Amino acid sequence: MDEPAHLATVYGRVSVRRNQHGIPVIEAETRPGLYFGQGWVQARDRQIQTMLMKAIFAGRMSELLGARKSCINIDEYMRRYGFAHRPEDEWQKMSPSCQANLLAHADGINAWLADHALVRELRLIRFRREAWTWKDSLAIGRGFGFVGMGDGQGVLEKWLVQLLCNGTSMAQLRELFPSVCDPDLTWEYKKLTLVKPLVPKGMGWLKVVPSPRASNNWVLGPARSASGHALAAADPHLDIDQLPAIWQEIVLSDGHASFVGVGLPGLPGALIGRTRDLAWSPTYSCMDCVDYRIEECRGGKYRRGSEWRDFARRREVLKLKGGGSRELVFLENENGILEGDPEKEGHYLVENYAALFGCGASDFEGVFGLLDAKTVPEGMACFQKLRAASFNWLLADRSGNIGYQMSGRHFVRPAGTSGLLPLPGWDERYAYRGFVEGDKLPQALNPPEGFLVSANDDRNGYGTTAPCAIHFGSNRKDRITALLQSRDKWTAEAMSVIQNDPYSRQAEAFLARFAALIPDTGAGRLLRDWDRRYTADAKAAVLFERFYRALLRNTFGKLAWGTEVIDYLRKETAVLAGCFHYFDRLLLGENAHWFSKEEVEQAATDAFARALRWPRPRLGRKQSVKMRHLLFGRLLPSFLGFHGGPAFVPGSRASPCQAQFFTDHGRKGSFCPSYRFLTDMGANEVFTSLPGGATDRRYGPYYKNELGRYLKGEYKRLVLST
């Protein structure tokens, strides 16, 4: 496994070796040869992830893995959005070089599989072996920006409808979510038959899919760098409770370009990292790319004026492993995909995803162009081609430029609407009017402050079209900004202090706002004197979390929606994980439509009393993660060595080193640093950390060789291939 491989291919010679950390170093004579090598090492080192990604995005889990309910649920979900639908349409749009790269990547995967059996784990579950095709990578590329990101926007929008239908006024909704500017159609919403949010329990399998909804990145210009060159930092935050880690570290070189960073098993291309000339990294943009319309239905039809029209019927057939099949029928019209049974008279939602059609070809063209981009503007042009995945990309180049570009596409919204609430599908004023994409999206180049920071915060100020209707708060961004401004000159290595910073601006704000209400007891003094850092020995962090939960329950629970609603949001959804700052704003400041100042202070007094009366354990006992094997999870005992941890993860929902753990409709998730990356563009080196190892082979030396370094907050040094 560790011997260098020299591969003779139709794309020229390709060599693969491991460096001292077990990371594959791929060298090729041609660009397609480089992607052949990347496919080859994905099949060798990350075969389980690669094959699961294929089955998931094609909607073929029940065919390739097994016809159990969890697999069928995922297939129905993926077939609904059709990420594998009509791939030839996108293929015809691709340049010959783009097609060659996709074919070479598929050939690399198949070359390994031709000479080796499937890995033991896949054989144990009788995963059906078959060749990889470019269509598999296209489906992954079209879909991974939706799962856990775009679809989360849709679930949130349904929740807003439920709020209005259950007593929250439009004035209250607008105060909670200031982006809401829509007409008050509550009377229409109360007619709706709402289908349950489509997040089936089988979605636990989707932990293999990266959903970097909460992440940090920043870039600094030469004036703030000790070396006089631009600096770049990235740490995407997503699930880390699995082995192997989601990302795959790679080093690439083809004589024209070299790269060090990470890719995603199942996809060709360099997603986070740098070449000699350019560095780039993403955070989730929070772009609102899902919109709903309301349709009045009767007898299987929908109304337009006095006319009743037929839905188009799209049929999908699920082949079931072991024999048999199941037909799925999706009803569609110009407004999207119907949710409900139109044979039953009523009003139903129709969902539209901005990247549902016409995406894929340009996305791969953009990603493949990155290895040849020399400057930040050239890199921004590459990201302007990405339609199917919306991210905030920060870039830095060797010449000292820094920049920001949002990718993706969103709908052109009718005047006076936010995209957050459903609109009548029969009203021509609300007809879809195309997309906002490419260079019309938010961007920046060489800002006067000399740095750029992104942390899933509001990016609307960088553009004119307001793509972020609901976004994460600014706690992490503000803390990172303050730390960057705290010194004049930074080095790449020194920025590790920021990535590992567990300080909570949220705790700082709440304890300042309610300082006079903290009891003068031992527990109260412990909380008051706390340094607001979520470290392993921090007992006060546990007390603050108890206080915060009790305060939400006493206000939005007892005084608004009912305690069972706020408990459900906290325990069973990711709403509070992503939107807590909207709630915080009303509790920390004045509000006109929710609670009086006296009500909030009484709720806080009661919350302190409840939080401080219980024992005070260290945070290290309450906040740990067990990294379980991706495929077998809890089925294997720990002593077999397939799992990692349990291990303490420092940080909070509001610290740069983020640590959030939640359950989202049956799927356990987390926002934690899944990869750390630092670089100085004046040196051909990077500093990285990964919560896992280079391969998925439990009995090899590189299964979790990086885990210890990651848990200590340490980094390794990698050098660009020359």
Side-chain angles (χ1 to χ4, degrees):
M1 189 179 202
D2 299 322
E3 291 297 319
H6 302 284
L7 311 173
T9 79
V10 296
Y11 309 104
R13 288 176 295 177
V14 177
S15 67
V16 180
R17 59 180 174 83
R18 294 192 189 277
N19 65 15
Q20 68 269 35
H21 305 289
I23 297 168
V25 178
I26 304 166
E27 297 172 326
E29 293 179 320
T30 66
R31 186 61 51 80
L34 207 57
Y35 295 120
F36 178 99
Q38 188 178 15
W40 193 85
V41 300
Q42 287 174 356
R44 182 189 69 175
D45 292 351
R46 297 296 187 88
Q47 191 177 125
I48 297 173
Q49 285 170 283
T50 301
M51 294 304 157
L52 287 179
M53 292 282 277
K54 169 192 178 85
I56 287 170
F57 283 101
R60 297 178 61 205
M61 289 284 282
S62 52
E63 177 186 355
L64 298 176
L65 199 66
R68 49 186 172 273
K69 184 172 178 55
S70 61
C71 293
I72 292 173
N73 282 343
I74 290 180
D75 289 346
E76 290 178 349
Y77 182 81
M78 292 298 176
R79 295 294 184 96
R80 172 180 173 80
Y81 298 102
F83 300 123
H85 190 52
R86 298 175 62 176
E88 292 80 7
D89 292 354
E90 295 304 306
W91 182 258
Q92 292 171 4
K93 301 176 190 176
M94 294 180 190
S95 66
S97 63
C98 183
Q99 292 177 346
N101 291 337
L102 277 168
L103 289 172
H105 173 259
D107 287 346
I109 293 175
N110 293 328
W112 174 268
L113 295 176
D115 295 334
H116 304 83
L118 287 177
V119 295
R120 182 179 293 107
E121 294 91 333
L122 292 178
R123 296 200 306 270
L124 283 172
I125 63 172
R126 298 181 180 178
F127 188 89
R128 205 181 90 189
R129 179 191 184 113
E130 65 175 33
W132 191 275
T133 76
W134 60 268
K135 298 177 184 179
D136 297 316
S137 296
L138 179 63
I140 297 169
R142 291 171 67 176
F144 95 97
F146 180 75
V147 176
M149 290 178 278
D151 60 346
Q153 290 277 346
V155 172
L156 186 62
E157 290 170 24
K158 286 186 185 178
W159 176 60
L160 300 188
V161 170
Q162 288 178 300
L163 289 181
L164 291 172
C165 291
N166 287 277
T168 299
S169 69
M170 182 60 82
Q172 286 179 307
L173 191 68
R174 287 171 177 156
E175 191 168 48
L176 182 58
F177 297 109
S179 294
V180 174
C181 58
D182 306 69
D184 188 350
L185 298 176
T186 302
W187 60 280
E188 287 284 9
Y189 302 149
K190 289 185 177 180
K191 300 177 187 175
L192 277 169
T193 300
L194 276 181
V195 175
K196 231 176 140 180
L198 191 62
V199 187
K201 290 185 178 179
M203 295 291 275
W205 277 105
L206 296 186
K207 296 180 79 62
V208 70
V209 181
S211 302
R213 287 183 289 179
S215 307
N216 305 326
N217 59 0
W218 63 89
V219 288
L220 281 77
R224 291 186 172 273
S225 164
S227 71
H229 293 273
L231 307 178
D235 55 320
H237 296 173
L238 42 84
D239 293 321
I240 64 166
D241 57 346
Q242 67 176 56
L243 288 175
I246 284 176
W247 305 107
Q248 182 181 31
E249 290 194 277
I250 48 173
V251 179
L252 306 174
S253 178
D254 66 0
H256 299 284
S258 59
F259 169 83
V260 60
V262 296
L264 180 65
L267 282 178
L271 300 185
I272 305 172
R274 64 163 293 186
T275 63
R276 297 186 191 95
D277 301 297
L278 185 69
W280 61 89
S281 67
T283 65
Y284 175 46
S285 72
C286 301
M287 176 186 285
D288 182 6
C289 53
V290 173
D291 281 0
Y292 286 100
R293 296 294 185 265
I294 306 168
E295 295 291 6
E296 182 181 353
C297 299
R298 178 195 302 169
K301 302 175 185 290
Y302 64 97
R303 183 176 67 82
R304 287 294 179 269
S306 59
E307 178 186 357
W308 292 89
R309 300 180 182 177
D310 290 319
F311 286 95
R313 292 176 173 267
R314 172 165 57 90
R315 288 181 165 82
E316 300 272 345
V317 177
L318 297 185
K319 296 180 181 179
L320 305 179
K321 189 173 182 180
S325 63
R326 176 177 297 191
E327 184 180 67
L328 307 175
V329 178
F330 300 103
L331 302 181
E332 302 170 337
N333 67 5
E334 69 273 18
N335 286 330
I337 308 169
L338 181 70
E339 295 187 1
D341 181 2
E343 294 293 339
K344 299 176 182 177
E345 184 173 352
H347 290 66
Y348 300 93
L349 289 180
V350 173
E351 180 186 17
N352 207 349
Y353 171 45
L356 202 57
F357 301 106
C359 295
S362 63
D363 298 75
F364 280 99
E365 297 278 6
V367 169
F368 288 145
L370 286 168
L371 292 188
D372 294 317
K374 305 295 183 186
T375 66
V376 165
E378 290 177 5
M380 292 169 63
C382 290
F383 291 123
Q384 288 169 9
K385 296 179 181 179
L386 271 62
R387 308 284 191 262
S390 181
F391 294 107
N392 296 315
W393 297 93
L394 295 189
L395 307 92
D397 67 28
R398 186 175 285 272
S399 299
N401 298 301
I402 60 173
Y404 159 61
Q405 179 67 56
M406 183 182 287
S407 66
R409 59 155 51 157
H410 68 86
F411 296 108
V412 175
R413 298 198 185 97
T417 68
S418 65
L420 290 176
L421 293 173
L423 300 168
W426 55 84
D427 191 330
E428 291 185 359
R429 291 176 299 171
Y430 303 129
Y432 285 106
R433 293 170 170 81
F435 307 102
V436 178
E437 58 191 16
D439 62 1
K440 302 299 189 294
L441 293 172
Q443 57 183 267
L445 180 65
N446 295 326
E449 56 269 27
F451 64 88
L452 287 159
V453 180
S454 167
N456 319 108
D457 51 292
D458 183 2
R459 313 302 289 180
N460 291 335
Y462 290 94
T464 60
T465 63
C468 307
I470 288 182
H471 49 78
F472 283 61
S474 65
N475 286 292
R476 285 180 285 120
K477 179 190 175 183
D478 292 345
R479 174 64 175 172
I480 293 168
T481 298
L483 290 173
L484 290 175
Q485 293 174 330
S486 68
R487 59 192 293 179
D488 293 329
K489 302 294 183 180
W490 284 92
T491 66
E493 290 177 281
M495 292 192 301
S496 66
V497 174
I498 303 177
Q499 288 187 335
N500 287 280
D501 178 37
Y503 186 88
S504 171
R505 288 178 66 92
Q506 182 197 37
E508 175 190 336
F510 272 90
L511 294 179
R513 165 68 177 83
F514 299 112
L517 304 179
I518 301 174
D520 188 22
T521 63
R525 289 188 291 273
L526 179 67
L527 185 58
R528 184 183 293 112
D529 296 340
W530 173 43
D531 63 4
R532 282 54 167 172
R533 296 177 185 274
Y534 280 65
T535 55
D537 59 352
K539 295 181 179 181
V542 177
L543 299 182
F544 176 77
E545 287 299 305
R546 289 176 182 166
F547 161 75
Y548 183 62
R549 288 195 299 269
L551 182 60
L552 288 174
R553 207 166 190 268
N554 291 347
T555 50
F556 289 96
K558 293 179 179 179
L559 299 178
W561 303 324
T563 55
E564 69 280 3
V565 173
I566 200 72
D567 288 346
Y568 180 81
L569 290 177
R570 182 176 64 83
K571 295 177 181 179
E572 299 296 335
T573 79
V575 168
L576 290 176
C579 297
F580 66 87
H581 67 103
Y582 289 104
F583 298 79
D584 291 0
R585 185 172 53 84
L586 298 186
L587 296 174
L588 292 169
E590 298 294 327
N591 69 86
H593 301 288
W594 287 89
F595 322 110
S596 68
K597 180 180 179 181
E598 292 74 20
E599 285 176 323
V600 172
E601 293 198 345
Q602 184 60 56
T605 299
D606 295 343
F608 279 126
R610 180 175 180 82
L612 303 183
R613 72 185 183 205
W614 301 105
R616 305 190 291 271
R618 297 166 57 251
L619 183 65
R621 291 183 54 194
K622 305 287 288 185
Q623 184 167 288
S624 64
V625 60
K626 180 89 169 180
M627 299 172 181
R628 299 185 183 276
H629 186 264
L630 172 64
L631 196 58
F632 294 128
R634 297 178 181 274
L635 298 178
L636 295 176
S638 296
F639 70 81
L640 291 178
F642 283 84
H643 308 317
F648 170 71
V649 180
S652 72
R653 67 180 67 82
S655 56
C657 182
Q658 187 177 192
Q660 284 206 77
F661 303 93
F662 54 87
T663 299
D664 191 6
H665 294 87
R667 176 191 178 191
K668 291 191 177 298
S670 61
F671 296 152
C672 296
S674 64
Y675 173 63
R676 291 187 173 117
F677 172 90
L678 301 167
T679 194
D680 183 324
M681 294 306 296
N684 288 324
E685 63 184 13
V686 302
F687 301 91
T688 73
S689 180
L690 188 76
T695 80
D696 62 9
R697 299 297 80 222
R698 155 66 184 92
Y699 295 106
Y702 305 116
Y703 180 59
K704 47 186 175 182
N705 59 308
E706 288 292 305
L707 187 54
R709 179 184 288 115
Y710 169 87
L711 293 173
K712 294 176 186 176
E714 298 175 351
Y715 296 70
K716 62 184 176 295
R717 176 178 174 269
L718 300 176
V719 178
L720 282 156
S721 176
T722 57

